[in-house]
């Protein structure tokens, strides 16, 4: 058995496209009497080993405390030639048991919350900013008195309590881009940075925001347009960083026309059992019974 890129697979390396495998992809192959498991430098080989144990030897890791490891006196294999490259670069089942580092690695979870260490190949990190970051980047306490127009207009008035940002205000966009660049400059290891709504309702309903959201038939319209512009502005300086935002509460329904840029990630979240009424004015056609299906993979915007 040959595991990983080493001197024993020198004659096989040319047949494996390691660039295509990226950080998490792998191959499992039989080559004559040898079994070869090799993959991307970060986690690929590790994932290949766990996949072999699962698919060919029947191992299962149901939870961090419950597993099934069969005992076999003999292992017999036929010809094998598989290659796997994950479609999703970020994978994170979100429940407490899934945060165990060993369980996460065995099930190919590489997200921010699992306790993944160097021996697991690390993880894709959000650094310290996970979600609900509007107020972090543009704090209402810092700006509202001088610039109430930066924040949500609800019922004809700009509000400072449980507010969001006015996403069609060009000064808000300029300030957000500045703050995001400052953060990335201070945290160059960041690969995903959240620019996302605060954890309550009250989207801006000024004339400009309202026009965009009516056109897009969802409050996510002004959000995705705003986030796209932030992502475009940081791309040349920080090509490895992606901007993340939420499909959550009033933005769960996707916009009708605008699409996220290639460096924008939409993280869909379910409301936590809220029974209260939304405090945002209804939009025509804004009801979405199946938002999970609506946020299906779509071609990204190239603009």
């Amino acid at each position: 058995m040959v595991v990983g890129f080493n001197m024993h697979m020198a004659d096989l390396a040319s047949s494996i496209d390691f660039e295509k495998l990226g950080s998490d992809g792998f191959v499992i192959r039989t080559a004559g009497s040898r079994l070869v498991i090799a993959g991307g430098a970060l986690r690929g080989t590790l994932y290949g080993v766990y996949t072999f144990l699962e698919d060919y030897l029947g191992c299962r890791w149901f939870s961090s405390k419950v597993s099934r490891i069969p005992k076999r006196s003999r292992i017999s294999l036929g010809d094998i030639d598989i290659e796997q490259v994950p479609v999703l670069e970020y994978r994170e089942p979100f429940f407490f048991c899934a945060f165990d580092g060993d369980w996460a690695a065995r099930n190919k979870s590489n997200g921010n919350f699992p306790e993944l260490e160097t021996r697991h190949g690390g993880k894709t990190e959000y650094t310290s900013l996970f979600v609900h970051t509007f107020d972090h980047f543009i704090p209402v306490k810092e700006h509202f008195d001088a610039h109430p127009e930066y924040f949500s207009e609800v019922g004809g008035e700009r509000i400072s309590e449980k507010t969001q940002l006015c996403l069609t205000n060009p000064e808000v966009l300029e300030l957000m881009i500045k703050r995001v660049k400052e953060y990335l400059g201070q945290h160059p290891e960041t690969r995903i940075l959240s620019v996302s709504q605060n954890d309550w309702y009250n989207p801006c309903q000024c004339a400009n925001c309202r026009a965009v959201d009516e056109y897009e038939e969802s409050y996510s319209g002004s959000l995705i347009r705003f986030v796209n512009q932030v992502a475009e502005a940081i791309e040349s300086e920080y090509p490895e960083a992606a901007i993340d935002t939420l499909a959550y509460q009033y933005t769960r329904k996707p916009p009708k026309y605008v699409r996220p840029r290639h460096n924008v990630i939409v993280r869909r979240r379910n409301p936590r059992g809220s029974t209260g009424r939304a405090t945002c004015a209804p939009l025509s056609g804004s009801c979405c019974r199946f938002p999970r299906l609506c946020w299906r993979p779509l071609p990204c915007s190239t603009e």
Side-chain angles (χ1 to χ4, degrees), residues 5 9 16 27 32 67 69 83 111 148 187 192 197 205 250 254 271 277 290 302:
F5 186 84
M9 67 168 299
I16 300 175
V27 297
S67 59
I69 311 298
E83 176 184 282
H187 303 274
I192 303 176
Q197 68 210 58
Q205 297 161 35
Y250 60 88
R277 292 180 64 86
F290 304 108
T302 57

Side-chain angles (χ1 to χ4, degrees), residues 26-30 36 51-52 55-56 80-84:
F26 59 85
V27 297
I28 305 175
R29 270 179 205 165
T30 49
V36 177
T51 297
F52 175 76
D55 291 354
Y56 293 94
I80 302 174
D81 187 5
I82 67 169
E83 176 184 282
Q84 291 188 17

Side-chain angles (χ1 to χ4, degrees), residues 259-297:
R259 295 291 179 262
R261 294 186 89 247
H262 65 89
N263 59 337
V264 169
I265 298 169
V266 179
R267 185 182 187 98
R268 184 184 174 274
R269 296 189 64 198
N270 282 325
R272 292 183 290 241
S274 173
T275 57
R277 292 180 64 86
T279 56
C280 49
L283 292 169
S284 58
S286 64
C287 176
C288 184
R289 291 184 62 195
F290 304 108
R292 181 179 303 171
L293 301 181
C294 290
W295 283 105
R296 64 192 183 278

Side-chain angles (χ1 to χ4, degrees), residues 9-251:
M9 67 168 299
D11 59 324
L12 301 169
S14 61
S15 66
I16 300 175
D17 188 345
F18 283 96
E19 183 176 353
K20 178 184 176 183
L21 296 178
S23 61
D24 292 357
F26 59 85
V27 297
I28 305 175
R29 270 179 205 165
T30 49
S33 60
R34 292 180 292 179
L35 173 68
V36 177
I37 303 176
L42 284 180
R43 294 171 287 269
T45 298
L46 181 67
Y47 289 166
V49 170
Y50 283 132
T51 297
F52 175 76
L53 293 174
E54 184 174 3
D55 291 354
Y56 293 94
L57 302 186
C59 297
R60 295 291 186 274
W61 298 277
F62 301 111
S63 75
S64 59
K65 302 186 185 308
V66 180
S67 59
R68 184 184 72 194
I69 311 298
K71 293 182 178 180
R72 297 190 179 186
S73 59
R74 180 181 176 83
I75 297 173
S76 179
L77 300 172
D79 292 339
I80 302 174
D81 187 5
I82 67 169
E83 176 184 282
Q84 291 188 17
V85 179
V87 174
L88 299 177
E89 64 179 294
Y90 185 97
R91 304 171 299 280
E92 184 178 68
F94 203 82
F95 54 96
F96 285 116
C97 190
F99 298 159
D100 177 83
D102 290 340
W103 185 93
R106 290 163 180 162
N107 289 275
K108 308 181 187 71
S109 171
N110 67 346
N112 185 70
F113 275 85
E115 297 173 350
L116 292 161
E117 303 172 6
T118 302
R119 65 189 177 91
H120 299 119
K123 58 185 175 180
T124 303
E125 297 195 55
Y126 275 78
T127 60
S128 61
L129 296 179
F130 179 48
V131 292
H132 308 310
T133 60
F134 276 2
D135 196 60
H136 172 87
F137 286 117
I138 305 180
V140 65
K141 290 182 179 180
E142 182 179 327
H143 294 283
F144 187 82
D145 288 344
H147 295 284
E149 72 277 8
Y150 286 5
F151 302 96
S152 292
E153 179 181 311
V154 178
E157 296 183 2
R158 299 286 176 174
I159 63 171
S160 59
E161 294 295 324
K162 291 189 179 297
T163 191
Q164 305 289 348
L165 296 177
C166 179
L167 298 176
T168 57
N169 186 320
E171 293 183 13
V172 172
L173 175 63
E174 182 179 358
L175 182 57
M176 180 63 77
I177 292 170
K178 177 184 176 183
R179 294 288 170 84
V180 166
K181 285 185 175 182
E182 288 174 350
Y183 184 89
L184 291 173
Q186 295 165 3
H187 303 274
E189 75 281 7
T190 301
R191 292 296 173 264
I192 303 176
L193 181 60
S194 180
V195 176
S196 55
Q197 68 210 58
N198 298 320
D199 197 9
W200 45 74
Y201 287 85
N202 292 326
C204 185
Q205 297 161 35
C206 73
N208 290 336
C209 288
R210 185 80 176 173
V212 171
D213 293 334
E214 287 282 6
Y215 175 74
E216 296 284 358
E217 298 183 8
S218 172
Y219 288 105
S220 63
S222 55
L223 175 65
I224 296 300
R225 291 189 184 198
F226 181 83
V227 171
N228 275 354
Q229 292 177 88
V230 175
E232 182 178 14
I234 62 103
E235 184 176 17
S236 61
E237 292 180 60
Y238 304 98
E240 300 300 321
I243 298 298
D244 164 277
T245 197
L246 291 175
Y248 176 60
Q249 293 181 340
Y250 60 88
T251 57

